[in-house]
Amino acid sequence: MGLMSKILGESGGSRQKEDYIEIESDGVDTAAAGASKQVRIAKIGDKQDVIDIKDAVYDGDVVIADITRHTTQDRTMEHITDELKQVANEVGGDIAQKGDDQLIITPHGVAINRDPLGQ
C-alpha cells in the first residue's frame, strides 16, 4: 500500500490504527507565534481523564479525544459524553463524535462542520 493510499484510503476499505503514520515535529515550530488557541490530543481511559479535557476547553483549546477504550454504548462513556456536552454548552462551543473512536470538543467561537470534505 502506497503513502497516498494510506492517506486517501482505498475504496471499500476501512482504516486500521497501523495505517496511520506518526509524524515527527523535527524542524517544525510547535509553539506557533501568537496562537491564542491550540488543538489538544487526549485519551479517555476513565472519568478522571475528563478533568484535563474540561480544563483545556475552558482555556479555549480544541480537544480531540481518543475514546477507543470504550464502546459508545458503555455507561461510563455515556456519562463522559454528557459531561463534555455540558462543558461545550457552558462555553458556547461544540461537540461531535467522529466514528466510534474520537470525540471533538471545541470552545467558544469554534464550530464543527459535520459535512466531510471531498464528499
Side-chain angles (χ1 to χ4, degrees):
M1 177 185 290
L3 178 60
M4 290 309 291
S5 295
K6 286 184 179 182
I7 294 170
L8 300 175
E10 294 180 355
S11 60
S14 63
R15 296 185 186 162
Q16 302 296 319
K17 184 176 181 178
E18 51 275 355
D19 291 339
Y20 293 91
I21 300 170
E22 183 68 32
I23 298 174
E24 296 296 324
S25 61
D26 296 342
V28 176
D29 182 11
T30 56
S36 62
K37 299 179 191 286
Q38 295 182 350
V39 176
R40 308 285 307 269
I41 307 298
K43 288 186 180 181
I44 299 178
D46 58 37
K47 287 185 74 167
Q48 188 68 25
D49 297 329
V50 173
I51 295 169
D52 292 334
I53 294 170
K54 289 169 60 173
D55 289 343
V57 174
Y58 283 127
D59 289 343
D61 294 335
V62 174
V63 178
I64 301 172
D66 178 351
I67 58 171
T68 55
R69 293 185 181 183
H70 298 279
T71 64
T72 53
Q73 277 67 39
D74 184 355
R75 285 293 278 165
T76 302
M77 195 62 228
E78 287 179 28
H79 291 293
I80 290 169
T81 303
D82 288 344
E83 197 168 338
L84 292 174
K85 282 180 186 177
Q86 181 180 357
V87 170
N89 188 41
E90 287 175 7
V91 300
D94 200 358
I95 184 169
Q97 183 169 335
K98 182 190 162 293
D100 289 334
D101 61 342
Q102 292 180 342
L103 278 178
I104 304 166
I105 310 99
T106 68
H108 174 74
V110 180
I112 301 169
N113 186 325
R114 279 128 173 109
D115 296 326
L117 292 173
Q119 294 185 10

